[in-house]
Amino acid sequence: MLDKDVTQFALLSLKDKNGREVKPLVAAAEFEYLEEFGGSEVAVSPQEDDYVLSICYGRYLFNSEVTKDGEPLSKQTLIDLINQEVDKWLIGISNKQTHFMGIKDIVIIDKHLERKCCHHSSCNGNHVDSDTNQAGDLAIAVLVSSKPNLQDLTSGVIYDESDAVDRLDKFKSDDFKPSAFTLFLNVHGYTVFSNIVNRVGAYALAHTLPISEQLSEENWTQFINHDDAYLVASRVM
């Protein structure tokens, strides 16, 4: 049985081109990929011939190193930046393989999230921003265009001793820790490493709803349960 306190995300310490120390948040799967393929160019985005629409719940992980003119980003500025990523390609990593997905639409659940400390292993505290207008992590529901295996990629578990049968019910248990599938904007011409270091944030998706034949880009928000989306987001970190 895996240790329930194992951390899926960590701060990667490195220096930018100006010699300034930066600490982007990196998922374990991304770190493993970078160790082996970090210098490779991102592949050309695929066609969507065999792609299907899915709804995912998760958490937008904000890179707190990102600023605007040297000042912290406001929540509204971050939301505006995220909305600009709609209709663009995302790239995710699982088992040292890259997966392309199109982000078709996004709904942000406006409820405050805490982030567990990832600076050092001895700290078990939750870090809360007192300024609710400042950018931070966000609970999200996302409409994604992907290959039909998205549910497999987002259903991983780090630790689970919950007796609940339904996956969403498991998110209510302290004995359940999902291993979110992390995606980020694919900037054309960037290496995976450059994408990760320079990204504003990443989409950590931890639950995919069952695919419905009735689902479309026009009606997808009717399928969202905001409470469930927030519950999933609160368990990602």
Side-chain angles (χ1 to χ4, degrees):
M1 176 61 68
L2 290 173
D3 183 349
K4 66 180 178 180
D5 293 323
V6 68
T7 301
Q8 187 188 356
F9 300 95
L11 294 174
L12 181 64
S13 181
L14 43 83
K15 293 185 183 297
D16 65 13
K17 61 183 180 181
N18 297 316
R20 183 177 65 95
E21 185 179 26
V22 294
K23 293 184 177 181
L25 190 68
V26 179
E30 295 173 339
F31 184 78
E32 292 173 358
Y33 184 92
L34 290 174
E35 281 192 312
E36 191 163 342
F37 310 111
S40 302
E41 290 292 332
V42 174
V44 176
S45 302
Q47 299 298 315
E48 295 182 84
D49 296 341
D50 58 345
Y51 278 31
V52 297
L53 291 176
S54 299
I55 296 174
C56 294
Y57 295 156
R59 182 176 183 131
Y60 187 85
L61 303 173
F62 172 59
N63 179 3
S64 59
E65 296 286 328
V66 175
T67 61
K68 183 176 182 181
D69 300 324
E71 297 295 327
L73 260 62
S74 69
K75 179 193 289 187
Q76 188 56 54
T77 298
L78 176 61
I79 291 173
D80 292 342
L81 289 171
I82 293 172
N83 286 330
Q84 291 174 19
E85 296 182 355
V86 172
D87 282 333
K88 291 186 170 61
W89 284 104
L90 302 179
I91 187 170
I93 298 170
S94 177
N95 295 322
K96 297 183 181 180
Q97 294 184 333
T98 55
H99 303 265
F100 281 98
M101 300 182 186
I103 177 170
K104 295 297 184 182
D105 203 359
I106 185 168
V107 168
I108 294 170
I109 314 301
D110 193 14
K111 295 178 68 176
H112 191 69
L113 289 172
E114 296 178 347
R115 178 185 283 191
K116 188 172 182 179
C117 178
C118 55
H119 288 77
H120 46 85
S121 58
S122 62
C123 177
N124 292 316
N126 291 322
H127 293 248
V128 184
D129 234 328
S130 58
D131 184 358
T132 57
N133 293 316
Q134 187 170 315
D137 291 357
L138 299 167
I140 56 174
V142 187
L143 181 66
V144 176
S145 174
S146 72
K147 289 186 179 295
N149 67 334
L150 181 57
Q151 191 165 19
D152 295 334
L153 295 173
T154 61
S155 64
V157 174
I158 295 176
Y159 185 88
D160 184 11
E161 284 191 352
S162 171
D163 293 328
V165 176
D166 182 76
R167 179 173 168 84
L168 277 174
D169 283 342
K170 289 186 176 186
F171 281 93
K172 302 173 184 177
S173 169
D174 289 336
D175 291 326
F176 180 74
K177 186 173 183 180
S179 51
F181 178 54
T182 308
L183 299 121
F184 48 91
L185 184 67
N186 174 33
V187 180
H188 182 71
Y190 273 31
T191 63
V192 173
F193 177 78
S194 294
N195 270 312
I196 289 174
V197 171
N198 293 288
R199 65 191 179 191
V200 174
Y203 302 81
L205 306 182
H207 182 67
T208 301
L209 300 184
I211 295 176
S212 169
E213 293 182 357
Q214 286 75 45
L215 179 64
S216 70
E217 293 186 45
E218 291 72 32
N219 69 8
W220 80 280
T221 56
Q222 301 174 19
F223 293 82
I224 298 172
N225 183 307
H226 285 221
D227 290 337
D228 286 345
Y230 179 75
L231 175 65
V232 170
S234 66
R235 300 293 297 178
V236 168
M237 288 188 74

